[in-house]
Structure formats: C-alpha cells, structure tokens
Amino acid sequence: MNASKRHGTSLPDTRHNGHPSRPHSRALAITSCLIAGLMLPTATLLAAEAKTEKRDTLSDIRVTSIRERAIQRTTAEEGATAEVEAVELKDQIAYSPADLFRYEPGILTTNNGRFGLAGFNVRGNDDNRVSIQLDGLEMPESYEPTSSYLNAGRLSVDLASLSGASVVKGGDARHGSGFATVNLRLQSPEDFLSPSGDDSYASVMGGYRSDNDGLFENITLAGRRGSLESLLVATNRNADATKNHVGDGKSDDTRGTARREPDPGDVDNYDVLWKLQKVSDNSRIGLIAQKYRISSKLHLFSEEGRRYDDYHSDDNITRLRLGIYQDLAADTPLFDDLHWQLDWQRSETVNQSDMIYAGYNRQVEREYDQTTWQLKSDLSKEFTFGVPQQVAYGAVIKRDGYDSLSQDRNLDAGTVAKSRFSPRGDATRFGVYLQDRLALADGRVSLTPAIRYDSYRYDLDDDALVSQDYDGARGDAFTGQLGGTFDLTPAVQLFGKTGWGFRAPSYDELYYDYNGGRGYRIVANPDLKDERSRFVEAGVRTQSHLGSAELTGFYTDYRDFIESGVSASIDPSNYPYGEFTTENVDRALIRGVEFRGQLDLAEAFGAIDGLYGRIAAAYIEGKNLKDGSALETIPPVQAVVGLGYQAPSQRWGGELTGTFVNHVSDHDADGASFAPAAYQLYDMTAHVALGQHLTLRGGIFNLADKKYWVWDDVRGLNIQGDGLDRYTQPGRNFGVSAQYVF
C-alpha cells in the first residue's frame, strides 16, 4: 500500500534503484549486511528517525495536465481501478511482473511454465482480451498456439523501469474495450529531479530472492541542465528456474509427468531505458529508447519419456522500442492540452528445443516476430457551455507486421523442414474517441457520455511455407458508454458506467494452423467474428479521516466470445490425439463483486500513529451460456488482509499480509481436471532508511510454508498423483535489497 494513500498526504520517497553486475560472493556479503540491518532494534530505528525527517529527495512532481484530469480522473472515478507505485514494489521485494498485483484480488499474472509470463488475467479476461499499454504503446500480442514448442508472452519489461502501474478493470472508451486495460508507466527524469533548476540524481540498488536464487543489480541516473532532462535506467537479473514446494530440481533426474520438482535451468534478463527531453513552461518534447531481453535455458526432464530423451530448451524474447513524444499546454480553440507520440517497436521470440526424438537428434527452432508502428494523440478542452465541461478526444493508428517460422532439423541426417504456423501478414487498426464530462449540481454530479469508432484490416502474404491459402479479414464497430458520479454527502459517492465493448480477433486466433503429422492438429479459423460486450459497473465509495472503502458490482455479457482450444472432429482417423480450433461462443457472461478498504487505526482506535489496516476481496463467476459450463479463466474467491506500520517520518515501516484463496469446485474445473484446494498465505515485509542515502528492505514470504497451487497455472491440467507437485508454488522464502542514493 502506498504511504500517501495510507495517510491522506503526498509523501516523497527516496527509496530508488540499481547497481552494475557483481560476483556472487559480493551478493552474499550484501545479503548478510541486509539481514543484520533488518534486525536492528527499535531503539536504533528511532534514533535514526530523529536525525532526519524525510525518507528521500524524490520529487512528487509529475506533468499534470487537463488531459490527465479530463481522461484519467474520469476513468478512475466511474469504475473500479487498481494502482501500484514503484515504492510499493520495492517495499514488497518485487522481482518480476508476476509481483505487480500480488495483493490485488481479481488480478492474476498468467504463467506459461517453460515460456515464462504470458500476461494478465483481470476479472477472468486474459491474453489479448486485456489491453497492456507501456507508456501509451500497446505491448506485443500474445501468440500461444496449442503446441509445446512456441509461446510468445506480453510482459517484456523489467519492474525497475516502471514508475507504477494501474488497471482499469472494466470498459474504457479510450482503448475501445469492454474488457480491461493495464497501464504500465515508465520512469521519467522528473520522477527523480527537483521541480526546477539544474539537478542530478544517481542511485544503485541490488538484491536477492531465495525462491529462484535471483540476484539483481540496477543503476539509475538522471540529470537536468537548462531545459534538457535525461534519464538512464539499467537493470540486470540472473536467476535459476523458480523453486516449488518440493525443491529446486537441480538434484532430481526423475523423468516424465511423474516428476515432482521443477525442470532446472537459468533465467536471465536485462532492461535498458533511456529518455531525453526538452522542457519549458508549457511544453515537453522527448525521445525514448528501450531494450529488453530475457533468456532461459532449461533441462526439460518432465517432457522426457516415451518419445523424448535429453530434452533441453533455449528460449529468448527481445523487445526494442524507439519513440518521440510531446506534451503541450496551450489556450487554443481546439485544445488546452495535447499529447502525441510516435513509436516503433519490434518483439522477437525464439524458442529452441533440442532432444533425442524417436532415436534421432532433433532440433526444433520456432520464431515469432511482431513489428509495430503506432501514432497516437490525446487532446482535451475545458469550457463552460451551460454547465462546466471537460471534452477529451483522440485517435490512434497502428500498423503491425507478423511473421513466424518453424525449422525442424534432423541433426543426424542433416535435413531441415521449414514451415509457418500462420502466413506473413500485416494488420492496420484505427480508432477515434470522444468523451464529454459534464459537471452538474454545483459539482456534486458528473455525467460522462463517450463514443468510439474502431476499424481493422488484415492483409496476408501466403507463400509455400503455409499449409493453405488464407483470405484477409476486416471489420469495424461503433461503441459507447455512459458513466457518472453522485456525491451523496461530502464523504460518500455513488459511481457507475454502462456501455458496449468491442475486440477484433487476434492474428493468433485467426490464422494459427498446425498439421505436423504427429497425431494431432490445430485448425485455423479465419472466419472468426468480432467479440462484442455489454457491461454495467456500479458501486459506492467513502473516504474520511478514518480511511476509505469501496464496494463495486459488475456484469458483462459477451456475444461471439472467442474461445481457443475447442475440440473439433474433422478427420479423427488421422489425428488420434485430437483436433483443436478456435470458435465463437454465442454468449458468455462474467459478473462479480469487489470490495476494498483501509483504516487508519490511530484515528479509529487511538493506536500508535502510523498503524493501519487494509482489506480487499473479489468474487467473480463466469459462464458459457451455450452449454452452462464455467469459464476456466475465472479465478477463485480471494481476499487480502494487511496490518502495517509506517513511521510518521516515513523512515521505516513494515507489513504483515494474509492472502486467503477459496478452493476450485469440480464444476469450475470442468470435472475431469485438477481442482486446487483452498489455501492461506502470510507474508511479512519491512524497510528502513539509514541516514540520508541507504535504504534496506527485506521480506519473508509464505511464512507458514504452505503447499498450494495457483488456479491460473493449473487450469485444464489432467496430471494425477505425484506429478501434481511440480506445479506447486515455492515454500517459505525470503528476499532482501539495498539501495544507495548518492
């Protein structure tokens, strides 16, 4: 929980980032120092607290504009949102994007095992159904065919490059979706520099997580000279494959599905972010460059057995981004505030599998590339015409190029078979929106109608490497929504929105086809219809000196819901292991209730100043209305309860957090699949600033050493017996970090 939210004030933070790579022995020395520091007695902490009244020198300055007030505030006030800041992630010893929303019920991070993190699951929507924006640029699409050799995820960014993240859980006219939007915000120079004048900033940070023996180093540099500002954030991480409750897999050579420990190996990544911008009183124009790369090398014992032996994987994802952007505040007839950005991005996934297959040395190398050009603009204008109004409007045009290639080599014979899973192609997308926030009844009531138009077109380049000729696809849609708020009292507000959503089928859903002659087939469906949705979201929130609370109910009705992995029967005699395709489900629904609250225990009960409690819970259910079956993407009921302390000086604090997850019923698991039991987790974290420059953090996770499974990792799993243990989460583990600000 953000300290500023706990106490109702905006609090600066000095607990920053990075350090260059160092030997393992040095990391062990740092770890020992951190543990010693975290065990300092309370008297020492209080003495350090008396010397300094601030935790940091980080400025709260942000580029605040009418665009942010008119668009972002409206979105947040009319529906349920979730937000996390960089300082919270540091205090939680977060290591990867999987930790972003660890304590946010109803939001999961999807893990694809060997292939790493795939994306987010928000209220039961996952994969490409969730829009993931990184500083306004759409992240690469998920490409997840039903195959053990290729999978391209969407979370190619390091946490240390982020200043924060927010989630719009329901419809959002700005992104053309009745589903969900995750906004990831990159660090900027103004996050670290004073509001004005020449200034500089430098920090190094390093840490360790025991659940994957992961070491990380980060360095952050920022500076301002005159009107020029710059930022460099570089992060490196080296880890083993994540442990499970049984062990790390390094000394276990059990083969096949009965294996209990994880497949061992190394998972390394680095991220370099650079920004340069020129600022003035009413304008900011800048350049951005970013490179992210993650690689993993695993020994896949769990895949060995009847047909495979000596099975190894070598997987890499590389993402490059270059862009230019501008924010402009000007009193013109068309806008008070303008933001535009032009970005180029390329994401390349290479999955290589080496094995002995049916007695010969086989290497399978599969690639998926996506190259994106995106031009985006957002404008806003504030005026009074009968009533105060804030008009926001904007447009985006996006061009994506797709390519895939499979090379199946017989290394003994020196032969190679080449094919594509999908034809080369391009997608052109265009969207434009308009919304108007009306302030009524002296500001006690707001009403915001919004309308959006989207169009898309796929153009394909069939060649001899694809299994059949495909036609392109196109479509368009008008969507809209109506939202509003009503202040019952100065402390109580009603809110809600309703509207229509739209999503075009993805490249993967339309065109992936596999017919490798190995007993199964995946059949492309280029005739998929667009997904449509109708949604309603409403709730009540309250805020006072005691704290805050929010209760939200939501209901979304989907038409032509796109479901993948559907069993088909086209040529069963030639495909004994099954045929699968992607189809539209006539109707599906997702509905639920969410609650969150936080309480200042000092104000409520006269406890120690800085003591707080918080709670969040989510109940979600989803159904395929065609056959009454449950949607497997729906997470079980979950609640998070926290009790924490934040010293009034902001120099030290800690939190004990409990996560409670209900069991998955046989109906929700579709009867034949594994249904995890309920579980409870307890985590404890702490942080302390020693003087002006050094901050230490530490945490112990899964304190009770609970054995448990996360539903999103095992849904659809049919393994029985000891093999289920391989999918368990880590047992008791810890993390530590140290940050030094120069």
Side-chain angles (χ1 to χ4, degrees):
M1 175 169 295
N2 192 325
S4 64
K5 294 179 182 177
R6 296 170 191 155
H7 305 292
T9 58
S10 181
L11 299 171
D13 168 48
T14 91
R15 302 172 291 163
H16 303 295
N17 310 313
H19 199 287
S21 181
R22 64 192 63 172
H24 193 205
S25 59
R26 294 179 62 191
L28 291 176
I30 289 176
T31 300
S32 301
C33 292
L34 289 171
I35 294 173
L38 291 170
M39 296 300 292
L40 288 173
T42 302
T44 303
L45 296 177
L46 292 174
E49 186 177 325
K51 292 181 181 180
T52 308
E53 294 184 357
K54 287 190 175 182
R55 274 177 77 184
D56 69 5
T57 57
L58 174 64
S59 170
D60 273 338
I61 190 72
R62 293 289 188 273
V63 175
T64 302
S65 64
I66 294 173
R67 174 177 58 90
E68 292 174 320
R69 295 198 303 271
I71 301 176
Q72 296 170 350
R73 190 189 73 182
T74 299
T75 300
E77 69 184 5
E78 294 178 351
T81 60
E83 186 158 354
V84 62
E85 302 293 338
V87 64
E88 299 175 67
L89 298 174
K90 293 173 187 175
D91 287 349
Q92 295 167 5
I93 324 296
Y95 189 86
S96 78
D99 299 319
L100 263 173
F101 301 104
R102 184 166 60 199
Y103 301 123
E104 183 64 35
I107 304 178
L108 302 174
T109 306
T110 303
N111 192 322
N112 279 340
R114 160 191 170 178
F115 303 101
L117 301 178
F120 295 106
N121 180 324
V122 182
R123 288 181 175 173
N125 289 307
D126 62 0
D127 292 336
N128 296 314
R129 203 168 275 116
V130 176
S131 173
I132 303 178
Q133 306 273 324
L134 181 64
D135 255 18
L137 174 63
E138 186 78 27
M139 292 291 276
E141 296 173 22
S142 172
Y143 192 75
E144 302 181 60
T146 308
S147 167
S148 59
Y149 298 124
L150 177 63
N151 199 305
R154 309 186 65 197
L155 295 183
S156 50
V157 65
D158 192 273
L159 289 186
S161 293
L162 300 180
S163 66
S166 60
V167 180
V168 180
K169 297 181 179 181
D172 184 358
R174 287 186 297 152
H175 300 296
S177 170
F179 308 99
T181 303
V182 178
N183 296 293
L184 307 176
R185 302 187 304 276
L186 290 171
Q187 303 276 16
S188 289
E190 64 268 19
D191 295 335
F192 302 95
L193 303 175
S194 59
S196 62
D198 291 350
D199 192 19
S200 62
Y201 171 88
S203 72
V204 293
M205 184 168 68
Y208 172 79
R209 281 283 295 263
S210 71
D211 56 349
N212 60 3
D213 282 334
L215 291 168
F216 77 92
E217 308 88 30
N218 167 276
I219 183 170
T220 300
L221 303 172
R224 182 191 299 120
R225 291 297 178 268
S227 62
L228 289 178
E229 296 179 343
S230 61
L231 172 72
L232 175 66
V233 182
T235 308
N236 182 69
R237 299 181 190 266
N238 303 102
D240 296 334
T242 301
K243 303 173 186 178
N244 65 13
H245 195 270
V246 182
D248 59 17
K250 292 180 181 179
S251 59
D252 181 11
D253 58 3
T254 305
R255 304 165 68 217
T257 57
R259 180 179 175 83
R260 299 180 64 215
E261 297 192 25
D263 294 321
D266 301 320
V267 182
D268 306 319
N269 70 271
Y270 67 84
D271 190 334
V272 179
L273 169 67
W274 174 80
K275 285 187 176 183
L276 176 67
Q277 57 191 32
K278 182 177 176 61
V279 297
S280 64
D281 290 340
N282 64 346
S283 175
R284 176 181 65 174
I285 185 166
L287 301 172
I288 179 174
Q290 187 178 28
K291 181 177 181 180
Y292 174 88
R293 180 177 173 85
I294 185 169
S295 61
S296 70
K297 295 183 178 181
L298 305 176
H299 187 163
L300 301 177
F301 286 106
S302 62
E303 298 290 341
E304 296 178 358
R306 184 178 57 182
R307 290 183 297 170
Y308 300 99
D309 197 8
D310 198 22
Y311 197 152
H312 294 262
S313 66
D314 187 352
D315 302 330
N316 299 276
I317 298 176
T318 305
R319 183 180 62 84
L320 296 171
R321 174 183 181 175
L322 298 172
I324 182 172
Y325 57 89
Q326 183 180 23
D327 288 286
L328 176 64
D331 187 8
T332 73
L334 293 178
F335 65 88
D336 295 324
D337 188 88
L338 163 69
H339 169 82
W340 66 266
Q341 62 185 87
L342 174 64
D343 293 285
W344 172 87
Q345 178 176 260
R346 182 180 181 186
S347 178
E348 180 182 32
T349 299
V350 180
N351 296 147
Q352 180 177 303
S353 305
D354 293 275
M355 71 207 76
I356 297 175
Y357 176 81
Y360 73 90
N361 286 292
R362 181 186 181 198
Q363 182 183 83
V364 181
E365 183 176 280
R366 295 186 171 175
E367 302 178 21
Y368 168 73
D369 297 343
Q370 182 180 342
T371 302
T372 298
W373 284 94
Q374 179 183 285
L375 176 62
K376 182 179 182 180
S377 64
D378 295 291
L379 305 92
S380 63
K381 180 67 178 177
E382 186 172 332
F383 60 91
T384 299
F385 185 74
V387 296
Q389 300 180 54
Q390 294 173 323
V391 174
Y393 59 101
V396 60
I397 184 167
K398 186 168 177 276
R399 177 82 168 178
D400 292 295
Y402 305 97
D403 196 3
S404 66
L405 180 65
S406 172
Q407 300 183 82
D408 197 335
R409 300 182 178 94
N410 183 327
L411 299 180
D412 295 336
T415 60
V416 56
K418 294 185 178 182
S419 62
R420 302 189 198 283
F421 305 113
S422 310
R424 289 175 172 171
D426 297 296
T428 304
R429 298 176 175 89
F430 173 74
V432 59
Y433 72 91
L434 170 67
Q435 75 173 33
D436 185 9
R437 184 183 186 275
L438 308 172
L440 308 172
D442 294 326
R444 290 185 58 204
V445 177
S446 74
L447 194 64
T448 308
I451 189 170
R452 183 181 177 97
Y453 171 76
D454 287 280
S455 68
Y456 71 92
R457 187 183 75 232
Y458 285 96
D459 298 301
L460 304 180
D461 182 14
D462 297 324
D463 61 14
L465 296 181
V466 295
S467 59
Q468 56 184 297
D469 291 334
Y470 296 94
D471 294 326
R474 64 176 59 201
D476 63 352
F478 279 98
T479 56
Q481 67 183 51
L482 178 65
T485 63
F486 174 45
D487 295 341
L488 284 176
T489 71
V492 180
Q493 182 183 72
L494 302 179
F495 63 90
K497 58 184 174 181
T498 183
W500 299 266
F502 160 83
R503 185 180 77 90
S506 69
Y507 174 73
D508 173 13
E509 292 166 333
L510 285 167
Y511 300 117
Y512 182 84
D513 190 282
Y514 177 77
N515 184 9
R518 301 185 186 278
Y520 72 95
R521 185 182 179 190
I522 301 166
V523 185
N525 185 357
D527 298 319
L528 284 173
K529 300 177 183 178
D530 306 328
E531 278 187 343
R532 308 291 177 118
S533 68
R534 296 181 298 179
F535 62 89
V536 177
E537 183 174 354
V540 57
R541 62 171 64 100
T542 180
Q543 184 164 1
S544 70
H545 66 285
L546 296 177
S548 63
E550 180 177 287
L551 177 67
T552 308
F554 58 91
Y555 181 99
T556 305
D557 186 350
Y558 299 92
R559 302 298 176 101
D560 294 321
F561 191 81
I562 297 174
E563 186 174 9
S564 60
V566 178
S567 179
S569 182
I570 301 172
D571 188 6
S573 60
N574 287 320
Y575 301 102
Y577 297 116
E579 297 169 280
F580 306 93
T581 190
T582 302
E583 292 183 350
N584 290 105
V585 175
D586 289 340
R587 287 190 64 194
L589 70 83
I590 295 177
R591 60 190 176 190
V593 178
E594 297 169 336
F595 174 79
R596 65 171 56 252
Q598 54 191 31
L599 183 64
D600 187 327
L601 297 178
E603 290 284 346
F605 303 110
I608 300 172
D609 189 21
L611 195 65
Y612 65 89
R614 65 185 179 96
I615 183 171
Y619 167 81
I620 307 170
E621 64 177 32
K623 294 181 180 179
N624 178 337
L625 295 181
K626 181 179 180 179
D627 59 15
S629 63
L631 298 180
E632 289 190 349
T633 57
I634 303 300
V637 179
Q638 180 178 342
V640 175
V641 179
L643 175 65
Y645 176 77
Q646 186 68 39
S649 66
Q650 304 300 302
R651 291 188 51 82
W652 66 283
E655 184 173 86
L656 174 65
T657 307
T659 301
F660 308 90
V661 181
N662 196 24
H663 72 281
V664 176
S665 69
D666 290 338
H667 175 265
D668 290 340
D670 199 21
S673 301
F674 173 56
Y679 59 89
Q680 307 86 38
L681 302 177
Y682 300 95
D683 302 334
M684 180 179 291
T685 57
H687 58 264
V688 55
L690 300 179
Q692 293 286 339
H693 304 286
L694 179 63
T695 300
L696 303 179
R697 300 176 177 89
I700 303 176
F701 308 98
N702 193 1
L703 277 165
D705 199 26
K706 181 70 175 180
K707 181 179 179 179
Y708 69 102
W709 292 261
V710 173
W711 169 239
D712 218 47
D713 291 349
V714 299
R715 53 187 167 100
L717 190 66
N718 287 301
I719 294 176
Q720 302 295 325
D722 289 344
L724 288 172
D725 285 346
R726 184 159 52 90
Y727 297 89
T728 57
Q729 297 298 303
R732 186 184 299 111
N733 63 94
F734 71 93
V736 289
S737 72
Q739 180 181 15
Y740 190 87
V741 179
F742 294 92

